[in-house]
Amino acid sequence: MKHRYLTAAAAVAVMGLGACGGESATANEETANVEAEDGGWAETVTKTEEGGYLMGNPDAAVQVVEFASLTCSHCRDFAEQSAGGLEEFVASGDVSFELRNFVRDPYDLTMALLVRCGNEDAFFQRSERMFANLDTFGETLGQADQAEMQARLTPQAAESGEAFTIVAEAGGLIDFIGGLGVPEQEARQCLTNTELRDELVGMRDAAIAQYNLQGTPTFLINGEVASGVSNWPQLEARLREMTQ
């Protein structure tokens, strides 16, 4: 999927980001296990060793992983269509859902840095809001001064992380994430966090190497690529088969 607003951010591609076609048991989890015994698994969020965020019981019999790009319209559709239904499966404790960012382009990486900023419990809410406002972000970035952006998006800016701040400012993302509880100063620190950037790029590279992942969304069920599952109706049907 191509976006007209990615042209302005193309200079950031010196980091090697390309577009694609189409610790598990922590102290937090141990606390969550106690809290979720009453069926509150849908409110339990933990970060996994692979770098994703897991909603639900980490020991669930059915473990779903979605590789998603925040600039992918099909991922946005999945987020919208699965709202409510997915949480019902997760709340039972029989199904867990993990989202792993698959960054396809500089704008995608900018968004991923921001949704991972601060309180990890808000990761899924922030991701859902990013998906819901994807078109608005694109329009805002498209209205920015393209010549000025290109002049500022140098290889040095990419290396230091400043490039992501430039793109975030042009797309209105800093103000947006501020409305979701991330103070401006903290957001700017996250955008220049090269360790977090490398983690996201590494997660993308690992997905390609391990699963030959070429498109988003791609789903794993219990560690295997879920053939024939590319949207919520298909995943819902599979989950009903596996949990009955």
Coordinates of all heavy atoms in Angstrom, one line a residue, residues 91-145:
A91 N -10.9 -11.9 27.1 CA -11.4 -11.8 28.5 C -11.6 -13.2 29.1 O -11.5 -13.4 30.3 CB -12.7 -11.1 28.5
S92 N -11.9 -14.2 28.3 CA -12.1 -15.6 28.8 C -10.8 -16.2 29.4 O -10.9 -17.1 30.2 CB -12.6 -16.5 27.7 OG -11.6 -16.7 26.8
G93 N -9.6 -15.7 29.0 CA -8.4 -16.3 29.4 C -7.9 -17.4 28.5 O -6.8 -17.9 28.6
D94 N -8.8 -17.8 27.5 CA -8.4 -18.9 26.6 C -7.6 -18.4 25.4 O -7.0 -19.2 24.7 CB -9.7 -19.6 26.1 CG -10.5 -20.2 27.2 OD1 -9.8 -20.7 28.2 OD2 -11.7 -20.2 27.2
V95 N -7.7 -17.1 25.1 CA -7.0 -16.5 23.9 C -6.2 -15.3 24.4 O -6.7 -14.5 25.2 CB -8.1 -16.1 22.9 CG1 -7.4 -15.4 21.7 CG2 -8.9 -17.3 22.4
S96 N -5.0 -15.2 23.9 CA -4.2 -14.0 24.1 C -4.0 -13.3 22.7 O -4.0 -14.0 21.7 CB -2.9 -14.3 24.8 OG -2.0 -15.0 23.9
F97 N -3.8 -12.0 22.7 CA -3.5 -11.3 21.4 C -2.3 -10.4 21.6 O -2.3 -9.5 22.5 CB -4.8 -10.5 21.1 CG -4.6 -9.6 19.8 CD1 -4.6 -10.2 18.6 CD2 -4.3 -8.3 19.9 CE1 -4.4 -9.5 17.4 CE2 -4.1 -7.5 18.8 CZ -4.2 -8.1 17.5
E98 N -1.4 -10.6 20.8 CA -0.2 -9.8 20.8 C 0.0 -9.0 19.5 O -0.2 -9.6 18.4 CB 1.1 -10.7 21.0 CG 2.4 -9.9 21.0 CD 3.6 -10.8 21.1 OE1 3.4 -12.0 21.3 OE2 4.7 -10.3 20.9
L99 N 0.3 -7.7 19.6 CA 0.5 -6.9 18.4 C 2.0 -6.6 18.3 O 2.6 -6.0 19.3 CB -0.3 -5.6 18.5 CG -0.4 -4.8 17.2 CD1 -1.7 -3.9 17.1 CD2 0.8 -3.9 17.0
R100 N 2.6 -6.9 17.2 CA 4.0 -6.6 17.0 C 4.1 -5.6 15.8 O 3.6 -5.9 14.7 CB 4.8 -7.8 16.6 CG 4.9 -8.8 17.8 CD 5.8 -10.0 17.4 NE 5.5 -11.1 18.3 CZ 6.0 -12.3 18.2 NH1 6.8 -12.6 17.1 NH2 5.8 -13.3 19.1
N101 N 4.6 -4.4 16.0 CA 4.8 -3.4 15.0 C 5.7 -4.0 13.9 O 6.8 -4.5 14.1 CB 5.3 -2.1 15.5 CG 4.4 -1.5 16.5 OD1 4.6 -1.5 17.7 ND2 3.4 -0.8 15.9
F102 N 5.2 -3.8 12.6 CA 6.1 -4.1 11.5 C 6.2 -2.8 10.7 O 5.4 -2.4 9.9 CB 5.4 -5.2 10.6 CG 6.2 -5.7 9.4 CD1 7.1 -6.8 9.6 CD2 6.2 -5.0 8.2 CE1 7.9 -7.2 8.5 CE2 6.9 -5.5 7.1 CZ 7.8 -6.6 7.3
V103 N 7.3 -2.1 11.0 CA 7.5 -0.8 10.4 C 7.9 -0.8 9.0 O 8.9 -1.4 8.6 CB 8.5 0.1 11.3 CG1 7.9 0.4 12.6 CG2 9.8 -0.7 11.4
R104 N 7.1 -0.2 8.1 CA 7.3 -0.3 6.7 C 8.0 1.0 6.1 O 8.5 1.0 5.0 CB 6.0 -0.5 5.9 CG 5.2 -1.7 6.4 CD 4.0 -1.9 5.6 NE 3.2 -0.7 5.5 CZ 2.3 -0.5 4.5 NH1 2.1 -1.4 3.6 NH2 1.6 0.6 4.5
D105 N 7.9 2.1 6.8 CA 8.3 3.4 6.3 C 8.6 4.4 7.4 O 8.2 4.1 8.5 CB 7.3 3.9 5.3 CG 5.9 4.0 5.9 OD1 5.7 4.8 6.9 OD2 5.0 3.3 5.4
P106 N 9.2 5.5 7.1 CA 9.6 6.4 8.2 C 8.4 7.0 9.0 O 8.4 7.1 10.2 CB 10.3 7.5 7.5 CG 10.9 6.9 6.3 CD 9.9 5.9 5.9
Y107 N 7.2 7.2 8.3 CA 6.1 7.7 9.0 C 5.5 6.7 9.9 O 5.1 6.9 11.0 CB 5.0 8.1 7.9 CG 4.0 9.1 8.5 CD1 4.3 10.3 9.1 CD2 2.6 8.7 8.4 CE1 3.4 11.1 9.6 CE2 1.7 9.6 8.9 CZ 2.1 10.8 9.5 OH 1.1 11.7 10.0
D108 N 5.5 5.4 9.5 CA 5.1 4.3 10.3 C 5.9 4.2 11.5 O 5.4 4.0 12.6 CB 5.2 3.0 9.4 CG 4.6 1.8 10.1 OD1 4.1 1.9 11.2 OD2 4.7 0.7 9.5
L109 N 7.2 4.3 11.4 CA 8.1 4.2 12.5 C 7.9 5.4 13.5 O 7.9 5.2 14.7 CB 9.6 4.2 12.0 CG 10.7 4.1 13.1 CD1 10.4 3.0 14.1 CD2 12.0 3.9 12.4
T110 N 7.6 6.6 13.0 CA 7.3 7.7 13.8 C 6.1 7.4 14.7 O 6.1 7.7 15.9 CB 7.1 9.0 13.0 OG1 8.2 9.2 12.2 CG2 6.8 10.2 13.8
M111 N 5.1 6.9 14.1 CA 3.9 6.6 14.8 C 4.1 5.5 15.9 O 3.6 5.5 17.0 CB 2.8 6.1 13.8 CG 2.4 7.2 12.9 SD 1.4 6.6 11.5 CE -0.2 6.4 12.3
A112 N 4.9 4.5 15.5 CA 5.2 3.4 16.4 C 6.0 3.8 17.6 O 5.8 3.4 18.7 CB 6.0 2.3 15.7
L113 N 6.9 4.8 17.4 CA 7.7 5.3 18.5 C 6.7 6.0 19.5 O 6.9 5.9 20.8 CB 8.7 6.3 18.0 CG 9.9 5.7 17.3 CD1 10.7 6.9 16.6 CD2 10.8 5.0 18.2
L114 N 5.7 6.7 19.0 CA 4.8 7.4 19.9 C 3.8 6.5 20.6 O 3.5 6.7 21.8 CB 4.1 8.5 19.1 CG 4.9 9.6 18.6 CD1 4.2 10.6 17.7 CD2 5.5 10.4 19.8
V115 N 3.3 5.5 20.0 CA 2.3 4.6 20.7 C 3.0 3.8 21.8 O 2.4 3.4 22.7 CB 1.6 3.7 19.7 CG1 0.8 4.5 18.7 CG2 2.5 2.7 19.1
R116 N 4.3 3.6 21.7 CA 5.1 2.9 22.7 C 5.7 3.8 23.8 O 6.4 3.4 24.6 CB 6.3 2.2 22.0 CG 5.8 1.0 21.2 CD 6.9 0.4 20.3 NE 6.4 -0.8 19.7 CZ 6.8 -2.0 20.2 NH1 7.6 -2.1 21.2 NH2 6.3 -3.1 19.7
C117 N 5.3 5.1 23.8 CA 5.9 6.0 24.7 C 5.1 6.0 26.0 O 3.9 6.2 26.0 CB 5.8 7.4 24.0 SG 6.8 8.7 24.8
G118 N 5.8 5.9 27.1 CA 5.1 6.0 28.4 C 4.4 4.7 28.8 O 4.9 3.6 28.6
N119 N 3.3 4.9 29.4 CA 2.5 3.8 30.0 C 2.2 2.7 29.0 O 1.4 2.9 28.1 CB 1.2 4.3 30.6 CG 0.4 3.3 31.3 OD1 0.8 2.2 31.5 ND2 -0.8 3.7 31.7
E120 N 2.7 1.5 29.2 CA 2.4 0.4 28.3 C 1.0 -0.1 28.3 O 0.5 -0.7 27.3 CB 3.3 -0.8 28.6 CG 3.1 -1.5 29.9 CD 4.1 -2.6 30.1 OE1 5.2 -2.6 29.5 OE2 3.8 -3.5 30.9
D121 N 0.2 0.2 29.4 CA -1.2 -0.2 29.4 C -2.0 0.5 28.4 O -3.1 0.0 28.0 CB -1.8 0.1 30.8 CG -1.2 -0.8 31.9 OD1 -0.6 -1.9 31.5 OD2 -1.3 -0.5 33.1
A122 N -1.5 1.6 27.9 CA -2.3 2.4 26.9 C -1.9 2.1 25.5 O -2.4 2.7 24.5 CB -2.0 3.9 27.2
F123 N -1.0 1.1 25.3 CA -0.5 0.8 23.9 C -1.6 0.5 22.9 O -1.7 1.0 21.8 CB 0.5 -0.4 24.0 CG 0.9 -0.9 22.6 CD1 1.9 -0.3 21.9 CD2 0.3 -2.0 22.1 CE1 2.2 -0.7 20.6 CE2 0.7 -2.5 20.9 CZ 1.6 -1.9 20.1
F124 N -2.6 -0.4 23.3 CA -3.6 -0.8 22.4 C -4.6 0.4 22.1 O -5.0 0.6 20.9 CB -4.4 -2.0 22.9 CG -3.6 -3.3 22.8 CD1 -2.9 -3.8 23.9 CD2 -3.5 -3.9 21.6 CE1 -2.1 -5.0 23.7 CE2 -2.8 -5.1 21.4 CZ -2.1 -5.6 22.5
Q125 N -4.9 1.1 23.1 CA -5.8 2.3 22.9 C -5.1 3.3 21.9 O -5.8 3.8 21.0 CB -6.1 3.0 24.2 CG -6.9 4.2 24.1 CD -6.9 5.1 25.3 OE1 -6.0 5.1 26.1 NE2 -7.9 6.0 25.4
R126 N -3.8 3.6 22.1 CA -3.2 4.5 21.3 C -3.1 4.0 19.9 O -3.3 4.8 18.9 CB -1.8 4.8 21.8 CG -1.8 5.6 23.1 CD -0.4 5.7 23.7 NE -0.4 6.3 25.0 CZ 0.6 6.3 25.9 NH1 1.6 5.5 25.6 NH2 0.5 6.9 27.1
S127 N -2.8 2.7 19.7 CA -2.7 2.1 18.4 C -4.0 2.3 17.7 O -4.1 2.6 16.5 CB -2.2 0.7 18.5 OG -0.9 0.6 19.0
E128 N -5.1 1.9 18.4 CA -6.4 2.0 17.8 C -6.8 3.4 17.3 O -7.4 3.6 16.2 CB -7.5 1.5 18.8 CG -7.4 0.0 19.0 CD -8.3 -0.4 20.2 OE1 -8.9 0.5 20.8 OE2 -8.3 -1.6 20.5
R129 N -6.4 4.4 18.1 CA -6.7 5.8 17.8 C -5.8 6.2 16.6 O -6.2 7.0 15.7 CB -6.4 6.7 19.0 CG -7.3 6.5 20.2 CD -8.8 6.5 19.8 NE -9.2 7.8 19.1 CZ -10.2 7.9 18.3 NH1 -10.9 6.8 17.9 NH2 -10.5 9.1 17.8
M130 N -4.6 5.8 16.5 CA -3.7 6.0 15.3 C -4.4 5.5 14.1 O -4.5 6.2 13.1 CB -2.3 5.4 15.5 CG -1.4 6.2 16.5 SD -0.7 7.7 15.8 CE 0.5 8.1 17.1
F131 N -4.8 4.3 14.1 CA -5.5 3.7 13.0 C -6.7 4.5 12.6 O -6.9 4.8 11.4 CB -5.9 2.2 13.3 CG -4.8 1.2 13.2 CD1 -4.6 0.3 14.2 CD2 -4.0 1.1 12.1 CE1 -3.6 -0.6 14.2 CE2 -3.0 0.2 12.0 CZ -2.8 -0.7 13.0
A132 N -7.5 4.9 13.5 CA -8.8 5.6 13.2 C -8.5 6.9 12.6 O -9.4 7.4 11.9 CB -9.6 5.8 14.5
N133 N -7.4 7.5 12.9 CA -7.1 8.9 12.3 C -6.0 8.9 11.2 O -5.4 9.9 10.9 CB -6.6 9.8 13.5 CG -7.7 10.1 14.4 OD1 -8.5 11.1 14.2 ND2 -7.9 9.4 15.5
L134 N -5.8 7.7 10.6 CA -4.7 7.6 9.6 C -4.9 8.6 8.5 O -3.9 9.2 8.1 CB -4.7 6.1 9.1 CG -3.6 5.8 8.0 CD1 -2.2 6.1 8.5 CD2 -3.8 4.4 7.6
D135 N -6.1 8.7 7.9 CA -6.3 9.6 6.8 C -6.1 11.0 7.2 O -5.5 11.8 6.4 CB -7.7 9.4 6.2 CG -7.9 8.1 5.6 OD1 -6.9 7.4 5.2 OD2 -9.1 7.6 5.4
T136 N -6.5 11.4 8.4 CA -6.3 12.8 8.8 C -4.8 13.1 8.9 O -4.3 14.2 8.5 CB -6.9 13.0 10.2 OG1 -8.3 12.8 10.1 CG2 -6.7 14.4 10.7
F137 N -4.0 12.2 9.5 CA -2.6 12.4 9.6 C -1.9 12.6 8.2 O -1.1 13.5 8.0 CB -1.9 11.2 10.3 CG -2.3 11.0 11.7 CD1 -2.4 9.7 12.2 CD2 -2.6 12.1 12.5 CE1 -2.8 9.5 13.5 CE2 -3.1 11.8 13.8 CZ -3.1 10.5 14.3
G138 N -2.4 11.8 7.2 CA -1.8 11.9 5.9 C -2.1 13.2 5.3 O -1.3 13.8 4.6
E139 N -3.3 13.7 5.5 CA -3.7 15.0 4.9 C -2.9 16.1 5.5 O -2.5 17.1 4.8 CB -5.2 15.2 5.1 CG -6.1 14.3 4.3 CD -7.6 14.4 4.6 OE1 -7.9 15.2 5.5 OE2 -8.4 13.6 4.1
T140 N -2.7 16.0 6.8 CA -2.0 17.1 7.5 C -0.5 17.1 7.1 O 0.0 18.2 6.8 CB -2.0 16.8 9.1 OG1 -3.4 16.8 9.5 CG2 -1.2 17.9 9.8
L141 N 0.1 15.9 6.9 CA 1.5 15.9 6.4 C 1.6 16.4 5.0 O 2.5 17.1 4.6 CB 2.0 14.5 6.6 CG 3.5 14.3 6.3 CD1 4.3 15.1 7.2 CD2 3.9 12.8 6.4
G142 N 0.5 16.0 4.2 CA 0.6 16.5 2.8 C 0.5 18.0 2.6 O 0.9 18.5 1.6
Q143 N -0.1 18.6 3.6 CA -0.3 20.1 3.6 C 1.0 20.8 4.1 O 1.0 22.1 4.0 CB -1.5 20.5 4.4 CG -2.8 20.0 3.8 CD -4.0 20.2 4.7 OE1 -3.9 20.7 5.8 NE2 -5.2 19.8 4.3
A144 N 1.9 20.1 4.7 CA 3.1 20.7 5.2 C 4.0 21.2 4.1 O 3.9 20.8 2.9 CB 3.9 19.7 6.1
D145 N 4.9 22.1 4.4 CA 5.9 22.7 3.4 C 6.8 21.6 3.0 O 7.8 21.3 3.8 CB 6.6 23.9 4.0 CG 7.5 24.6 3.0 OD1 8.0 23.9 2.1 OD2 7.6 25.8 3.1

